[in-house]
Amino acid sequence: KAGVTQTPRYLIKTRGQQVTLSCSPISGHRSVSWYQQTPGQGLQFLFEYFSETQRNKGNFPGRFSGRQFSNSRSEMNVSTLELGDSALYLCASSLGAMGNTGELFFGEGSRLTVL
Amino acid sequence: QKEVEQNSGPLSVPEGAIASLNCTYSDRGSQSFFWYRQYSGKSPELIMSIYSNGDKEDGRFTAQLNKASQYVSLLIRDSQPSDSATYLCAATAVGYQKVTFGIGTKLQVIP
């Protein structure tokens, strides 16, 4: 059974640019969550999607957005990049049922560096 | 105040000892709790989940939950160098599709 796939794995951007990250969840999983991980803040919740609907959103500015497609694949976009956006962006999938929203399966992450 | 609090460590224990990792949470609506392990340069992986007060054992791992004290812990018996990693405590509430993580405790098992 294939795991969660994130692309690209590494990318370097400059301030002001935008970036799109992609996540393919485990087959059969309908929930996709995105997290930002930095050494000082740990894992910070960005948003969660289920059946193409955003069900919850973290405390990030509107420059951070996402979407989910009918095949459960998800993308997140960060516009007008800032130096502080440099981080590891992790995608996690789960079945999405109410009882196991905490049982997450993570991808390997996309390491974003903003220069 | 973070919703899930952990000491970032590092916590150093000798090989074969019991490692005790602790976590407190502030949201009394939290009902499900999880421990994830993250090796350096890798992504987190779920190792334990606990939903009711008391202890839950799985091999060398025991998770403990005390909802009255809003306290969760993870005990690792017979610690091995391969257990050296960062352990993330996480919590979620029924009806909320957001999992909140602590900053993680770095565990070092000394051979």
Side-chain angles (χ1 to χ4, degrees), chain A residues 22-89:
Chain A
S22 178
C23 172
S24 293
I26 292 171
S27 177
H29 284 192
R30 297 169 65 189
S31 169
V32 173
S33 301
W34 288 90
Y35 288 84
Q36 180 195 68
Q37 188 172 36
T38 58
Q41 297 296 318
L43 273 166
Q44 299 289 304
F45 175 78
L46 282 157
F47 24 67
E48 188 264 358
Y49 289 89
F50 179 82
S51 292
E52 303 179 66
T53 299
Q54 186 183 90
R55 297 196 295 187
N56 211 326
K57 187 177 189 299
N59 296 322
F60 278 82
R63 300 185 297 107
F64 292 81
S65 62
R67 59 178 175 169
Q68 186 181 35
F69 302 95
S70 58
N71 62 357
S72 294
R73 189 177 72 84
S74 177
E75 289 182 348
M76 68 162 284
N77 183 277
V78 188
S79 62
T80 319
L81 285 166
E82 301 177 358
L83 295 178
D85 297 333
S86 295
L88 179 66
Y89 290 88

Side-chain angles (χ1 to χ4, degrees), chain A residues 39-43, chain B residues 2 4 6-8 86-88 101-105:
Chain A
Q41 297 296 318
L43 273 166
Chain B
K2 285 186 68 71
V4 177
Q6 292 182 261
N7 188 318
S8 60
T86 296
Y87 289 80
L88 301 162
F101 286 82
I103 194 131
T105 298

